[in-house]
Amino acid sequence: MPVPVDVEFVAKDAKNASNRGDLVIVVDLVRATTCIITALANGAKSIIPVCSLKEAKQQRKMHPDYVLAGERNGVKPAGFDLDNSPLTLTRENVAGKHLIMSTTNGTNALVQSKTAKCVLAGAFVNASAAAKVSLEIACKQKIGISFVLAGQKNRFALEDFICAGGIIKRFPAGTVELSDKALSALLAYEGAKYDLQANILRSTHAQTLIKIGLGRDIEFACQTDLYGIVPFYKNGEIKP
Ligand code: MLT
């Protein structure tokens, strides 16, 4: 039986995916899920995603040796150790460490998805691995796969949609049954893939990041299959 694949366009609709009993792949291409995958690939032991800066600071009080990472308006919040850039989450900065992370949309999308049976983080940097692992779990557990797109403050974000399409593209033919939303994401990816970076750069959020000098983060996020790891979010923590 092909696995049903669906897409929720904004984080607040994550509950639809958990109500369907689906495995969830959270996508926040620029930049939260790209950063989470990169940090774990660079040896971070775990990441606690939280929604607010207040919660992040509370968590830090409970775990004084944890690294505080994240952003507001694209930049490192006061009192944080690291920003939300895949170029900052280097082996030198994160290997062997536990992180607490709070970003505007991405960590919120993860927290909103926490009631799903299984929650993974996806981006271009782990597209093939995310497709393979999610399909294996969905087949074994006889459940569907839903993408939860982080979006921008509960508005649709083009870059997350195209990225979901890129992961969908990697499901082998005949293994999945796409909803109209999932098929639209695939078609958007098919249309964008020949100049992926240039097309992602057209999105509103990418333009905002470029204005504050963070264009290199978008170049990084457009690299496909840089890593073979798939982060799992379970019991409040994200681990590879
Ligand atoms: C978010 O969670 O909204 C993003 O990761 C923001 C960003 O750092 O570009």
Side-chain angles (χ1 to χ4, degrees):
M1 279 277 284
V3 171
V5 176
D6 211 338
V7 180
E8 296 301 335
F9 289 160
V10 287
K12 72 174 168 48
D13 291 335
K15 59 183 179 310
N16 297 340
S18 39
N19 289 344
R20 285 192 291 272
D22 285 358
L23 172 153
V24 163
I25 304 176
V26 174
V27 176
D28 185 9
L29 179 71
V30 285
R31 296 166 290 172
T33 53
T34 299
C35 284
I36 287 165
I37 297 156
T38 301
L40 294 173
N42 282 337
K45 284 190 169 159
S46 71
I47 301 171
I48 300 176
V50 294
C51 295
S52 69
L53 297 181
K54 193 173 159 200
E55 277 175 278
K57 287 177 183 165
Q58 282 166 351
Q59 281 287 343
R60 165 71 151 252
K61 269 201 185 133
M62 286 156 57
H63 309 286
D65 53 330
Y66 282 25
V67 175
L68 211 45
E71 61 70 42
R72 284 298 180 276
N73 299 316
V75 299
K76 186 171 80 167
F80 273 47
D81 305 306
L82 299 173
D83 60 9
N84 186 42
S85 166
L87 302 174
T88 310
L89 298 165
T90 56
R91 191 156 282 277
E92 193 186 4
N93 284 336
V94 302
K97 296 181 181 164
H98 297 277
L99 272 63
I100 301 158
M101 184 181 272
S102 180
T103 70
T104 313
N105 304 286
T107 53
N108 177 44
L110 281 154
V111 172
Q112 301 255 17
S113 302
K114 71 180 177 192
T115 53
K117 282 195 179 125
C118 181
V119 183
L120 316 180
F124 283 126
V125 291
N126 75 343
S128 293
K132 183 172 184 286
V133 169
S134 59
L135 190 62
E136 276 169 12
I137 297 170
C139 286
K140 207 167 166 184
Q141 298 193 10
K142 297 187 171 37
I143 56 178
I145 296 172
S146 278
F147 288 82
V148 170
L149 311 185
Q152 271 298 318
K153 299 189 176 158
N154 278 318
R155 288 201 319 268
F156 175 85
L158 175 69
E159 69 278 10
D160 296 339
F161 187 61
I162 292 176
C163 181
I167 298 173
I168 291 168
K169 173 77 181 163
R170 286 162 174 81
F171 293 130
T175 59
V176 291
E177 184 179 278
L178 305 182
S179 70
D180 280 4
K181 288 195 276 184
L183 180 57
S184 310
L186 175 63
L187 294 174
Y189 172 75
E190 295 283 15
K193 70 181 178 188
Y194 296 108
D195 204 351
L196 190 59
Q197 197 174 304
N199 284 311
I200 295 292
L201 282 169
R202 295 166 75 182
S203 68
T204 311
H205 186 53
Q207 287 298 319
T208 307
L209 291 180
I210 285 170
K211 278 187 196 132
I212 56 171
L214 296 171
R216 284 184 61 215
D217 286 8
I218 300 158
E219 282 171 33
F220 186 98
C222 289
Q223 299 174 95
T224 301
D225 292 339
L226 199 55
Y227 306 120
I229 66 153
V230 184
F232 276 70
Y233 176 41
K234 201 175 168 188
N235 302 327
E237 278 188 326
I238 307 170
K239 290 185 172 170

